[in-house]
Amino acid sequence: MDKRQGKDVVEHGRTKYTLIKDVEDYQSGIYEKRLPCFGCGLGWFSFLVGILCPPMWYYATFLYFGNYYRKDPRERAGLAASAIAALGCSIVVLIILLVRLFRFS
């Protein structure tokens, strides 16, 4: 290696920055993509729609336990909220059925 070349490399590293990637070769990251369902994510959308149509909570619960959130970790909170809502709905329906069964028999 030439002495002059080694000196240029050392000076270049200290004083100037080097562009590693081409600006036009930009790839967007996972968090820069917009979430589906009006930007709020499938989990939160299912949670909100589940207030009117509770089977949506069970659909989101199925996605949660199927590890759908591995595609986009931002979905995890909404899917978990829907799973909790589905559990609460199941408990309420079970209590109502048990009360009706034992009260009217």
Side-chain angles (χ1 to χ4, degrees):
M1 185 158 104
D2 187 25
K3 288 183 183 182
R4 195 186 91 190
Q5 183 182 5
K7 184 178 176 186
D8 288 343
V9 170
V10 172
E11 284 180 12
H12 181 70
R14 289 186 194 164
T15 60
K16 297 182 181 180
Y17 292 101
T18 305
L19 182 63
I20 296 174
K21 287 187 175 181
D22 188 18
V23 177
E24 295 168 359
D25 189 29
Y26 178 74
Q27 295 177 353
S28 62
I30 187 171
Y31 298 114
E32 294 175 4
K33 293 178 186 173
R34 188 179 157 111
L35 288 171
C37 300
F38 309 106
C40 70
L42 188 61
W44 286 114
F45 182 76
S46 297
F47 180 76
L48 294 173
V49 172
I51 294 170
L52 299 174
C53 181
M56 287 297 289
W57 289 333
Y58 295 99
Y59 172 69
T61 302
F62 177 74
L63 291 177
Y64 180 70
F65 287 119
N67 292 330
Y68 177 78
Y69 57 85
R70 287 192 180 174
K71 289 182 181 178
D72 191 351
R74 297 176 291 173
E75 293 278 358
R76 188 176 201 165
L79 293 173
S82 295
I84 293 169
L87 177 66
C89 182
S90 297
I91 290 172
V92 167
V93 168
L94 182 65
I95 290 172
I96 290 171
L97 289 175
L98 289 175
V99 166
R100 290 192 72 183
L101 178 69
F102 290 119
R103 187 170 186 183
F104 296 115
S105 57

